[in-house]
Amino acid sequence: MDEIVSSNFIEDIINEELASGKVSEVVTRFPPEPNGYLHVGHSKSLCINFGIKEKYHGRCNLRFDDTNPTKENMEYVESIKRDIRWLGFEWDEELYASDYFDKIYECAVQLIKDGKAYVCDMSAEEISATRGNLTTPGINSPHRDRSVEENLRLFEEMRAGKYADGTKTLRAKIDMASPNINMRDPVIYRVLHANHWHTGDKWCIYPMYDFAHPISDGIEGITHSICTLEFEDHRPLYDWVKINCGFIPGPRQIEFARLNLTRTIMSKRYLKKLVDMGAVDGWDDPRMPTLSGMRERGYPAPALRDFCGRIGVAKANSEVDAAMLEHCVREYLNVNALRAMVVRNPIKLVLDNVDGAQVFHVAKNPMQPELGLREISFSHELYIDAADFSDNPPPKYFRLKPDGMVRLMGAYIVKYVSHGMEDGKLVVHAEIIPDSAEGGVNAGIKVKGTIQWVDANNCVPLTIREYDYLLDDDTTGRDFDERLMTNSKTVVEGAVAEAGFAATVPYTHYQFVRMGYYMTAKDSTPAHLVVNQVVGLKDSFKPKK
Ligand code: ATP
Ligand code: MG
């Protein structure tokens, strides 16, 4: 695979460390918490971590950060693995923070023995109330000076299940006056009588993220622990745990700015809420900004990787226009999608001077001529889109109109004859200009408009699902709840496609000419063809030159 992450400050650090001999093999990890499906924000982290693995011929582990037993489950684990593979990455080892619970417990015991951790009886509220703030130092816990023996006994009792949830914690003994509040004797273990999806009932105490993470990184020999900017203030604690638990020199934590996209929810917690309240049809609803949702919608994985490469890696938070992602999708599909003619809202076009069937041959994809040609049939009766005929045309209307001519894509030029209602439906009559198809002597006649059409004798019906953003475009900071759009999904029945489309299979991408990009939906069958709209043809995004 090509390098997908362009040079950035993380790679600068790695280059320096490789040059100085500080590291020899680069090892990264992607550490999702299995409490939801991955979203487009995670693809940035995936591209960075796996991009580094590829660029430096290093390793990248998939580590499930499963230290929160009440929110995690196997469905999420499986979805995360599927989505990473779909995006095009393969991890070296599949690991679980919970596999390290014994080792993490040992580290805690060693900290107690070294006089660097103590059991505290204060409640979460008391701990928070005595932590101080940016201008005031915290107050020492009354249990801070317990003896090593007492701490060892109490911690063992915590583990043995003697104490109720929330009644005792293990805290690192650092500095209650530290200017960094994360260093004011942070809790590193809590009592939680909960069944863990991976370790069952073995534990009733669980390590906190800030404690488990550096130890997990250390155990795996991670060299660069790459995370998002909100952990910058936690880095001193990361380093404290790393050093005091004996991982020296150990991994280096590097922070980057998380991806934010306009009109896009980027939080598993809120995405879960949408699923739970039934606002969408599950985590893989094509409107969801999850990787599963994007796959079902029809966003190609290479387009997402391309997008991640283009947004780059920086240390300042910002919001990227969702139109840029759509631009990448369009650019990829323009080259890679098959072409087909579809009429969304059909009206009949009767060609008075045509009888008998004819066949034309047009490119499956003009961007990839090597794919060859497809057959499209043509006859006395066609369908065209209702929007492509007007008996009261506005200025510059270059489609079919009274006394006008239009080119039928891939076939003849036709000239209007008449129109009227037949059996309650609008029917337009026209005549073909003989020899006006490609290669014919009249093909060069100047007509301004070209429209798509299908043969009424053998076209196939299809259902089109069209999608809008889940959120409105308000940028004044209202809650997601208030910004949810009620009409983000439209189902269009009654469209018709050229006959060859009957053979489509789920997950095939198309450009429906003059309409946009579509993908055959996962639930499409030959008896009931269904497509999802991926993106329209129009591009509102202007890439920088
Ligand atoms: P969420 O708030 O949506 O649950 P998270 O950060 O808690 O996200 P994790 O499962 O902990 O989700 O994330 C796994 C990795 O993906 C972490 O390294 C995290 O920093 C990264 N990540 C999560 N969201 C983004 C984002 N929007 N942009 C870039 N990286 C992200
Ligand atoms: Mg998280």
Side-chain angles (χ1 to χ4, degrees):
M1 200 182 281
D2 294 340
E3 289 169 10
I4 52 164
V5 180
S6 59
S7 228
N8 55 55
F9 77 96
I10 299 178
E11 293 183 5
D12 290 345
I13 293 173
I14 294 173
N15 290 340
E16 243 173 69
E17 292 183 353
L18 285 169
S20 72
K22 184 169 175 244
V23 296
S24 46
E25 188 191 24
V26 179
V27 189
T28 56
R29 87 287 171 264
F30 177 71
E33 186 182 349
N35 62 350
Y37 281 51
L38 297 180
H39 52 64
V40 57
H42 292 109
S43 60
K44 178 172 180 183
S45 176
L46 284 162
C47 286
I48 294 173
N49 283 297
F50 283 94
I52 288 171
K53 162 193 155 108
E54 285 165 4
K55 187 162 185 168
Y56 294 94
H57 306 290
R59 286 184 290 134
C60 180
N61 290 339
L62 169 59
R63 182 197 321 137
F64 290 99
D65 180 15
D66 55 349
T67 52
N68 241 334
T70 53
K71 300 208 173 84
E72 299 159 358
N73 69 47
M74 200 62 200
E75 177 199 345
Y76 297 142
V77 168
E78 291 305 326
S79 77
I80 289 169
K81 285 160 52 175
R82 187 173 63 236
D83 289 345
I84 297 174
R85 289 203 170 107
W86 172 73
L87 196 57
F89 297 122
E90 190 62 46
W91 49 89
D92 287 86
E93 287 187 77
E94 176 185 332
L95 301 162
Y96 296 82
S98 56
D99 287 336
Y100 309 138
F101 281 171
D102 283 308
K103 173 70 188 166
I104 297 171
Y105 181 81
E106 271 172 41
C107 288
V109 168
Q110 191 57 48
L111 285 181
I112 296 175
K113 289 181 180 163
D114 295 341
K116 290 172 180 163
Y118 60 95
V119 173
C120 180
D121 303 352
M122 291 202 289
S123 66
E125 295 73 35
E126 289 167 323
I127 290 178
S128 154
T130 51
R131 202 176 351 236
N133 55 37
L134 288 176
T135 50
T136 328
I139 300 164
N140 283 356
S141 159
H143 316 114
R144 199 171 197 265
D145 295 319
R146 277 181 165 147
S147 68
V148 168
E149 291 65 36
E150 189 182 4
N151 280 320
L152 285 174
R153 177 176 58 78
L154 291 171
F155 190 49
E156 175 51 35
E157 288 175 357
M158 279 167 66
R159 170 192 165 125
K162 188 163 172 193
Y163 302 109
D165 291 2
T167 56
K168 280 195 168 36
T169 59
L170 185 71
R171 297 176 69 179
K173 193 170 181 176
I174 309 179
D175 178 6
M176 288 305 290
S178 170
N180 184 331
I181 293 177
N182 295 305
M183 300 297 272
R184 295 184 186 170
D185 290 10
V187 172
I188 56 178
Y189 257 97
R190 58 182 171 149
V191 178
L192 185 65
H193 293 265
N195 184 277
H196 188 285
W197 73 278
H198 200 52
T199 58
D201 287 326
K202 179 170 175 195
W203 297 91
C204 62
I205 55 171
Y206 290 94
M208 305 302 287
Y209 174 89
D210 280 335
F211 190 56
H213 207 80
I215 295 173
S216 307
D217 283 345
I219 292 170
E220 291 174 25
I222 302 301
T223 54
H224 298 86
S225 179
I226 299 165
C227 61
T228 41
L229 223 47
E230 67 271 22
F231 290 101
E232 196 168 22
D233 288 348
H234 295 240
R235 193 184 337 131
L237 178 54
Y238 182 95
D239 288 339
W240 186 94
V241 172
K242 177 181 98 171
I243 291 164
N244 287 290
C245 293
F247 298 103
I248 302 167
R252 171 168 180 172
Q253 176 177 306
I254 305 173
E255 309 86 16
F256 69 96
R258 62 170 49 229
L259 170 65
N260 297 305
L261 268 186
T262 53
R263 301 185 75 173
T264 308
I265 297 166
M266 212 75 88
S267 138
K268 275 182 282 181
R269 198 169 53 88
Y270 195 79
L271 292 171
K272 180 170 189 314
K273 196 168 151 190
L274 291 184
V275 173
D276 290 345
M277 70 194 230
V280 292
D281 305 324
W283 285 95
D284 65 350
D285 184 299
R287 290 166 291 177
M288 288 281 269
T290 52
L291 298 189
S292 293
M294 291 185 161
R295 175 180 57 230
E296 298 308 333
R297 172 77 168 263
Y299 280 30
L304 254 170
R305 295 200 306 267
D306 175 34
F307 170 71
C308 290
R310 291 196 206 191
I311 56 178
V313 182
K315 240 183 144 52
N317 280 316
S318 64
E319 194 174 56
V320 176
D321 192 337
M324 181 173 169
L325 174 56
E326 289 156 21
H327 172 80
C328 294
V329 169
R330 236 177 242 116
E331 208 171 86
Y332 179 86
L333 289 179
N334 180 42
V335 176
N336 291 286
L338 297 170
R339 287 353 186 223
M341 289 202 286
V342 169
V343 173
R344 189 178 181 278
N345 184 15
I347 57 169
K348 210 163 247 183
L349 176 69
V350 178
L351 300 172
D352 295 339
N353 61 348
V354 170
D355 52 19
Q358 300 181 33
V359 169
F360 288 95
H361 292 90
V362 296
K364 287 182 178 164
N365 176 354
M367 303 296 283
Q368 296 185 18
E370 66 278 11
L371 292 179
L373 304 175
R374 68 186 202 271
E375 282 188 358
I376 43 176
S377 73
F378 184 87
S379 71
H380 176 57
E381 286 190 351
L382 310 179
Y383 285 117
I384 61 171
D385 201 284
D388 288 336
F389 171 76
S390 174
D391 59 356
N392 183 20
K396 300 205 171 162
Y397 186 85
F398 298 128
R399 299 170 234 173
L400 194 56
K401 57 190 171 188
D403 302 321
M405 285 200 286
V406 75
R407 185 185 302 276
L408 297 176
M409 186 172 286
Y412 299 102
I413 297 168
V414 296
K415 186 170 174 23
Y416 171 90
V417 173
S418 66
H419 74 279
M421 300 301 281
E422 295 177 19
D423 296 331
K425 287 183 178 161
L426 176 65
V427 176
V428 181
H429 287 257
E431 286 184 344
I432 63 167
I433 309 281
D435 294 320
S436 63
E438 194 181 319
V441 291
N442 290 322
I445 292 176
K446 281 243 173 323
V447 286
K448 283 210 166 138
T450 300
I451 62 174
Q452 83 273 24
W453 52 276
V454 299
D455 185 343
N457 287 312
N458 56 17
C459 63
V460 290
L462 80 162
T463 299
I464 302 177
R465 298 186 186 131
E466 296 175 342
Y467 301 103
D468 203 341
Y469 295 103
L470 279 170
L471 298 185
D472 67 23
D473 59 1
D474 183 72
T475 53
T476 57
R478 274 153 69 230
D479 274 358
F480 290 147
D481 301 70
E482 295 167 28
R483 291 180 59 195
L484 262 192
M485 306 230 295
T486 50
N487 52 351
S488 51
K489 176 179 177 181
T490 310
V491 178
V492 179
E493 303 287 359
V496 283
E498 62 181 72
F501 192 73
T504 190
V505 294
Y507 300 104
T508 313
H509 286 98
Y510 292 89
Q511 183 194 97
F512 291 166
V513 290
R514 296 181 66 234
M515 287 176 61
Y517 293 100
Y518 295 80
M519 187 189 77
T520 311
K522 74 169 166 194
D523 54 337
S524 178
T525 63
H528 184 197
L529 299 169
V530 184
V531 296
N532 292 332
Q533 183 192 47
V534 185
V535 282
L537 279 182
K538 273 229 193 63
D539 200 335
S540 60
F541 179 77
K542 298 270 170 292
K544 286 194 206 100
K545 284 277 156 18

